[in-house]
Amino acid sequence: MGTPKEIEAAAKKMQAATAVYHKSQQELDKANKDLSKYNDIIKGGNVSAMGPATIELSKVAAKIGTLHKKVGDAKKKMDDAIKALRKVMPK
């Protein structure tokens, strides 16, 4: 069991890590929606819109790969912060 200051510090770290994780997850969700939007444009068959949509689709797809790694890293940090908090919390 930790001191009240240790518990407070661990709780703040956990809250910060959780906020980063949720923000990263929201960015990923937005990118997935963009991906669907451009994919629908391409499937729609409008030839004049296909070119720009294909370019944007490739940009979003690359961004999604980066965001998956960012979300994974944020989740690990959040999980580590939760474990640290559990160690100092009274039982």
Side-chain angles (χ1 to χ4, degrees):
M1 183 171 103
T3 66
K5 285 186 179 185
E6 290 174 330
I7 293 170
E8 186 178 344
K12 284 182 181 180
K13 285 182 182 179
M14 192 242 354
Q15 288 171 345
T18 301
V20 169
Y21 170 73
H22 285 296
K23 184 174 186 252
S24 299
Q25 187 65 48
Q26 287 172 345
E27 289 176 28
L28 181 60
D29 291 344
K30 183 185 178 304
N32 280 325
K33 286 179 185 175
D34 289 346
L35 184 72
S36 294
K37 178 177 78 173
Y38 294 122
N39 199 23
D40 290 344
I41 291 171
I42 291 169
K43 286 181 179 177
N46 183 347
V47 177
S48 63
M50 280 185 185
T54 302
I55 293 168
E56 291 301 317
L57 186 67
S58 65
K59 289 179 188 176
V60 171
K63 184 178 179 182
I64 286 175
T66 304
L67 287 172
H68 271 289
K69 182 176 179 349
K70 185 177 176 183
V71 167
D73 292 345
K75 176 140 178 34
K76 182 177 179 344
K77 287 180 182 179
M78 181 182 71
D79 290 344
D80 290 346
I82 290 170
K83 286 178 188 174
L85 178 61
R86 285 186 180 146
K87 285 182 182 178
V88 296
M89 290 292 290
K91 294 185 177 189

